[in-house]
Amino acid sequence: MRDMEKLVYNTGNGETELFIGKSWYEIGDHIIKSNTIIITDSNIHSIYGDKFPSCPVIIIDPGEQTKSITTVESIVEQLLDKGCDRTSFLLGIGGGVICDITGFVASVYMRGVKFGFISTTLLSQVDASTGGKNGVNVGVNKNIIGCISQPSFVICDPEMLKSLPEEEYISGLGELVKHAFIRDAGLLGFIEENIELVLKRELNLLTTLISASVKIKIDIVTSDEKERGIRRLLNFGHTIGHAIEIELGIKHGFAVSYGMLLAAQISVESGMLDENDLGRIETVLGKLRLLTDMPQELPDVTEIILKDKKVEKNKIFFVLLEGIGKGVIKDMEIDDLVRIIKNIR
């Protein structure tokens, strides 16, 4: 029998129910078909479309390049053509891109309609579908236009992860292990003990890990929905990781893993983290196959970092470690950060 856990969180702007381990086929329990519109991509539709509930479907191209205002305009035009009003409900079925776009469109269409997700990738199940961040890219600037608006529900069905390409699944492990690095040493130990089963995508183990990871994110988000303080911890590895992702075009989880490794090295250089903990971080990332795309030389990412949303008056809130499970937020000068990165590389 499959494990299932229901989590509920409330940021003050509405309640969100998360169903981890629940079959996505039970989506009928959560929507009214007559006022629901599905947003998905062509890949997901080709795999699961014949099992979708009988609702109108808007299909977009897969990939990060689709996260644009042009796509938003296209979806809005289709919603108008379908006669959607303020009582309509948008259901995003897909990974992080679909979650971002669906949440953003729902938040701005007619000043806001309700929405929910069926999360189909590990990356979105442990990260993108929870927390309320929705946005689109402008050029190489990731999520530079966006809002924070919480979904009504999220269904995370680990069974759907079986259809993921290996690289996509491994990429998702980067965000999962990130939560352990910043907040839960015990979770990291559990991951280390079960590396083989993690890589084999054992369903009940995945339900346990996704639930543990999401609980960490919920705890942080409910304390700081608008990212004015502790929510910045969730950016561990992302300042450098996003820049690498943009510059080299590698998948998010691999780029963030390299960013986390560099942030851990900076933590050691700053006298905050023990060398043994750095070794442990590098070992677990390696065993999870997250360092296979690691570049031999780090490209110059200064210009990209300067455009990061976390930059304020030439300073950036950068996440370091004082130990496994002990993330801390440091206010750093951009010039100092760039100098340290260049010295390490």
Side-chain angles (χ1 to χ4, degrees):
M1 184 175 178
R2 290 177 58 180
D3 293 340
M4 196 278 280
E5 185 167 9
K6 177 182 176 180
L7 305 174
V8 179
Y9 72 91
N10 194 323
T11 61
N13 293 316
E15 187 174 88
T16 297
E17 297 180 318
L18 294 101
F19 301 90
I20 300 168
K22 184 172 187 174
S23 172
W24 77 275
Y25 293 135
E26 299 177 51
I27 183 59
D29 297 342
H30 305 280
I31 61 171
I32 301 171
K33 294 180 182 179
S34 60
N35 76 340
T36 298
I37 298 87
I38 295 170
I39 299 176
T40 191
D41 66 44
S42 54
N43 285 345
I44 294 299
H45 191 261
S46 67
I47 299 171
Y48 300 109
D50 60 341
K51 301 292 194 305
F52 280 7
S54 53
C55 306
V57 181
I58 295 174
I59 303 172
I60 64 176
D61 292 333
E64 189 72 18
Q65 71 282 354
T66 303
K67 279 177 54 175
S68 68
I69 287 294
T70 301
T71 300
V72 171
E73 289 178 350
S74 172
I75 292 172
V76 167
E77 288 172 356
Q78 293 180 70
L79 292 175
L80 290 170
D81 288 343
K82 297 178 188 301
C84 298
D85 57 27
R86 289 177 176 174
T87 68
S88 298
F89 185 91
L90 302 189
L91 174 62
I93 305 180
V97 170
I98 289 296
C99 291
D100 267 338
I101 289 178
T102 302
F104 184 76
V105 171
S107 300
V108 299
Y109 184 72
M110 295 190 174
R111 296 196 176 94
V113 298
K114 292 184 177 181
F115 63 100
F117 301 135
I118 295 175
S119 179
T120 64
T121 68
L122 182 57
L123 190 63
S124 65
Q125 289 187 7
V126 300
D127 186 52
S129 62
T130 304
K133 282 188 176 182
N134 315 287
V136 295
N137 307 331
V138 176
V140 299
N141 303 295
K142 287 176 65 68
N143 303 318
I144 206 70
I145 300 177
C147 59
I148 295 179
S149 184
Q150 304 295 340
S152 297
F153 66 81
V154 180
I155 292 177
C156 299
D157 184 351
E159 185 79 40
M160 301 183 92
L161 304 182
K162 289 184 175 180
S163 66
L164 288 181
E166 181 73 2
E167 188 181 41
E168 193 71 45
Y169 174 73
I170 296 297
S171 176
L173 293 175
E175 288 287 355
L176 191 155
V177 77
K178 176 198 75 177
H179 290 138
F181 289 154
I182 63 170
R183 205 61 184 254
D184 193 339
L187 175 58
L188 182 63
F190 185 72
I191 293 170
E192 289 171 321
E193 292 169 3
N194 292 278
I195 293 286
E196 290 187 14
L197 290 177
V198 171
L199 294 174
K200 289 179 180 178
R201 313 187 199 191
E202 201 281 322
L203 290 182
N204 285 333
L205 176 67
L206 281 175
T207 298
T208 299
L209 289 175
I210 293 166
S211 179
S213 183
V214 169
K215 284 176 181 175
I216 292 170
K217 183 164 187 181
I218 288 173
D219 181 57
I220 291 173
V221 168
T222 52
S223 299
D224 177 27
E225 184 188 24
K226 302 296 184 181
E227 200 172 309
R228 297 290 184 262
I230 195 173
R231 185 167 182 166
R232 292 171 176 144
L233 283 177
L234 297 172
N235 293 319
F236 180 57
H238 282 59
T239 297
I240 302 172
H242 273 166
I244 294 171
E245 182 180 0
I246 292 165
E247 188 70 21
L248 300 181
I250 62 179
K251 287 193 175 294
H252 179 79
F254 296 95
V256 165
S257 293
Y258 191 28
M260 290 190 291
L261 182 57
L262 283 171
Q265 289 176 321
I266 293 171
S267 301
V268 171
E269 294 283 330
S270 303
M272 298 169 58
L273 186 69
D274 188 271
E275 286 274 6
N276 292 330
D277 285 340
L278 173 60
R280 188 178 171 193
I281 289 168
E282 184 167 10
T283 297
V284 73
L285 290 173
K287 287 183 176 179
L288 290 173
R289 304 174 188 168
L290 282 160
L291 300 180
T292 54
D293 275 352
M294 190 166 69
Q296 293 299 310
E297 291 188 18
L298 182 65
D300 187 353
V301 293
T302 306
E303 289 301 317
I304 299 173
I305 289 176
L306 283 170
K307 295 179 181 178
D308 193 293
K309 298 186 297 300
K310 298 180 287 299
V311 172
E312 296 179 10
K313 297 180 179 178
N314 207 43
K315 289 186 176 182
I316 191 164
F317 295 103
F318 195 77
V319 184
L320 300 172
L321 297 179
E322 289 183 330
I324 301 296
K326 297 179 180 178
V328 292
I329 303 158
K330 293 293 184 181
D331 188 356
M332 299 183 69
E333 295 280 352
I334 292 291
D335 292 343
D336 290 341
L337 176 60
V338 170
R339 176 179 50 78
I340 293 170
I341 292 171
K342 287 180 177 179
N343 287 339
I344 287 178
R345 79 180 186 188

